[in-house]
Amino acid sequence: MLETLIQYDKELFLYLNTMGNNSWDAFWLFMTNKWGSIPVYIILLFLAYRQLGLRKLGVLLVAIALLLTATDQLANFFKDGIERLRPCHDITVNELMRLVKSNCGGKFGYFSAHAANSFGVAFFFVQVLKSKYRFFSVLLLLWAALFSYSRIYLGVHFPLDTVTGIVIGSLFGWLFAKLFIFALHKYRI
């Protein structure tokens, strides 16, 4: 069963990854670059400041830092524990794939910390800002989806790595948002 799932994952990876072409490479490199996401983060902080004020924004920044630390460290734990090779290190696919970046990162890739972090932040802000900025929530989730897909396009993660990161990041984002909202009410911040 697991072997069949992994084989389907590799086939889907090759299909999605090899659909890419040079004219789109720059866009996907920009999407995956953390510096390319700075405008999104600035907008999020501005909207959070408008809705929450400066004092609550400080608490929000601590919550986001803890969220990113949790998703990042859990991803590292899984990568070191499961030891699933990234596509560029997997001899069953590395000759057939497109590696768009100059390197593909560490040896192991299950699960994608990029996907977990982007969806963690997206779900956190969707929960916190949903009362005022519903339309922006849709755009934020679209940004997280594009950011996550970029990992497959570039050849650094299999789809299952990315989907697992999306699920874990979404759960952590939801949980940390609930804890943040609870703390605001409980401690009257």
Side-chain angles (χ1 to χ4, degrees):
M1 173 78 173
L2 183 60
E3 292 169 4
T4 304
L5 178 63
I6 290 172
Q7 185 58 38
Y8 285 141
D9 190 37
K10 289 180 181 183
E11 290 172 13
L12 181 59
F13 166 77
L14 287 172
Y15 174 76
L16 294 172
N17 173 261
T18 57
M19 280 184 8
N21 62 57
N22 294 341
S23 60
W24 282 95
D25 290 354
F27 170 77
W28 291 107
L29 284 166
F30 174 78
M31 282 305 303
T32 204
N33 187 318
K34 62 184 172 190
W35 302 111
S37 297
I38 286 177
V40 174
Y41 298 137
I42 290 171
I43 292 168
L44 288 172
L45 291 176
F46 174 73
L47 294 176
Y49 169 73
R50 283 189 60 194
Q51 182 168 326
L52 302 171
L54 189 58
R55 189 166 161 203
K56 291 177 184 175
L57 181 63
V59 177
L60 179 136
L61 289 173
V62 170
I64 291 292
L66 292 172
L67 165 64
L68 292 175
T69 300
T71 55
D72 231 33
Q73 292 310 305
L74 187 61
N76 289 336
F77 176 78
F78 270 75
K79 286 175 186 174
D80 294 338
I82 293 187
E83 296 184 343
R84 182 180 190 199
L85 296 173
R86 287 181 184 266
C88 68
H89 297 296
D90 186 329
I91 59 171
T92 64
V93 296
N94 66 0
E95 295 293 323
L96 305 170
M97 61 172 273
R98 294 179 73 239
L99 181 61
V100 178
K101 294 177 69 171
S102 58
N103 65 51
C104 72
K107 188 174 181 181
F108 305 119
Y110 185 81
F111 60 88
S112 170
H114 280 79
N117 290 341
S118 64
F119 268 88
V121 168
F123 262 78
F124 181 90
F125 278 99
V126 164
Q127 291 297 308
V128 171
L129 301 176
K130 69 181 173 184
S131 64
K132 269 190 157 178
Y133 304 106
R134 287 193 192 280
F135 177 72
F136 189 72
S137 296
V138 172
L139 294 177
L140 186 57
L141 292 171
L142 177 62
W143 162 79
L146 291 172
F147 189 83
S148 298
Y149 176 75
S150 74
R151 311 307 291 163
I152 299 165
Y153 181 95
L154 298 175
V156 297
H157 280 293
F158 289 106
L160 190 56
D161 304 344
T162 305
V163 169
T164 303
I166 289 168
V167 170
I168 289 173
S170 298
L171 289 171
F172 272 62
W174 176 84
L175 175 64
F176 274 77
K178 294 299 182 187
L179 291 171
F180 169 72
I181 293 166
F182 173 77
L184 291 183
H185 294 305
K186 173 82 174 171
Y187 299 106
R188 297 188 179 135
I189 298 171

